[in-house]
Amino acid sequence: MATVTEVRAGRRWSMLGLGVFAQASSAVFVHGTPFLLPALTARGMSLPAAGLLVAMPTVGLVCTLIAWGYVVDRIGERKVLVGGPLVMFVAGAAAAVTTDDLALGALLFLGGAGAASTNGASGRVIVGWFPPERRGLAMGIRQTAQPLGVGVGALAVPAVAAAHGISTAILVPAIMAGVAAAGCYLGIVDPPRPEGKGVDRANPYRGDATLWRIHAVSVLLCVPQGVVWTFALLWLHRDIGWSLPAAGVLVTATQILGAFGRIGAGAWSDRVGSRLGPLRTVAVAAVLSMAALGLTAWTQWWWTAIPLLIAASVITVSDNGLAFTAVAEIAGPYWSGRGLGIQNTGQNLAIAAIPPVFGALITVGGFPAAYLAAAALATAAIPLVPTDSRNPR
């Protein structure tokens, strides 16, 4: 097996690009499917039924993240980055030709299960091939795959569905997944792992709460991120009075800025040689930005609300790459797949709970209450961030 020093920098970056593309194709499959709602309801399906149908990829994802992590730890990253996207491709192609809604839901669930494969595997490729002083930047770039995938889904899926039908729209992420599988088959090399059975194979969760604390921090910091992303459009339109197109442009711009924020946070962690120190700072900044946003929403100081919304949108997503890199480094080469699977599962469950829970809170107390509640939960994350006393592996 090749060692880190035997792989040229260009090859590392090409594997990063393949990992980003594979992760983006998963994001299109999981997060792009809800953009089929207009087409599904237009053909006569009730909104609750359509909502349940487009949620099936997310259900498949959450149910299999930890299992895929276990597979990554057992058989390596390359096989998973080929096999998972192939499952997406086959499930998407079959979904495109089925005429039965129950079968469609089952195939979307299967596609979501395949999509879960790329989360841990692509993260482990980065940590395995990039040296510690470049991992934060590389993981930050990898974390842009989700907003890129959401953007592709928002642009392509409803447009294709309107022009060519739902079946053709489902082929968009399926074809992307097929291309990702072929690319990973040709371009991914499993990173080296130590041969010993000692500390590297030991369960990092046993007798040490560090990883559990990072998982808890990430779940808590998901709340302000999810609140901003879920309700910003509605707040801009309903309370501030912006048109939906104008509000949509601003929300899209914040997604792009958030992607750059993830890259910047990763580069910062490389420069200071710490993941958890910057993670604590980002948690504090998330609390301050969300509290300030809640205050301006309550006082209706609209001239400061928009800059604060932009700032909060960038800050609240900047922790993702830091936490992912820390989990992979602390878990080690034989547990990072499962560690990242647990990390993703907790975050996705938190994100799934935000629309109904905070929707009810907004109904009762308005948007200021939602922003301040998100700030309070982020505050609880600050003391949970562990001390960064470990050397990256």
Side-chain angles (χ1 to χ4, degrees), residues 222-327:
C222 261
V223 176
Q225 171 188 328
V227 169
V228 169
W229 280 15
T230 302
F231 298 107
L233 183 73
L234 182 62
W235 178 57
L236 289 168
H237 177 63
R238 197 178 79 178
D239 279 26
I240 301 183
W242 284 29
S243 68
L244 284 174
V249 168
L250 180 62
V251 171
T252 301
T254 61
Q255 290 267 354
I256 297 171
L257 292 173
F260 283 109
R262 296 181 184 199
I263 296 172
W268 173 30
S269 74
D270 288 336
R271 189 175 303 112
V272 301
S274 169
R275 316 299 176 201
L276 299 180
L279 179 60
R280 184 179 292 105
T281 302
V282 170
V284 172
V287 171
L288 294 176
S289 62
M290 292 302 296
L293 186 60
L295 177 63
T296 57
W298 177 57
T299 57
Q300 299 184 358
W301 294 342
W302 305 133
W303 58 91
T304 58
I306 303 306
L308 282 171
L309 175 64
I310 295 171
S313 298
V314 175
I315 291 168
T316 57
V317 300
S318 298
D319 65 285
N320 288 12
L322 299 172
F324 268 62
T325 309
V327 167

Side-chain angles (χ1 to χ4, degrees), residues 7 44 57 60-61 106 110-111 120 166 172 182 202 218 300 307 321 333 338 380 386:
V7 173
L61 177 96
L110 180 61
I166 295 172
V172 172
S218 295
Q300 299 184 358
R338 278 163 282 188

Side-chain angles (χ1 to χ4, degrees), residues 58 62-63 65 219 342-355:
T58 302
V62 172
C63 287
L65 279 167
V219 168
I342 295 170
Q343 176 83 359
N344 272 292
T345 300
Q347 288 181 308
N348 277 281
L349 289 173
I351 291 293
I354 285 170

Side-chain angles (χ1 to χ4, degrees), residues 105-129:
L107 289 167
L108 290 177
F109 175 92
L110 180 61
S117 65
T118 63
N119 286 271
S122 62
R124 172 57 200 157
V125 166
I126 292 168
V127 173
W129 280 124

Side-chain angles (χ1 to χ4, degrees), residues 345-370:
T345 300
Q347 288 181 308
N348 277 281
L349 289 173
I351 291 293
I354 285 170
V357 173
F358 278 82
L361 180 59
I362 290 169
T363 301
V364 175
F367 288 98

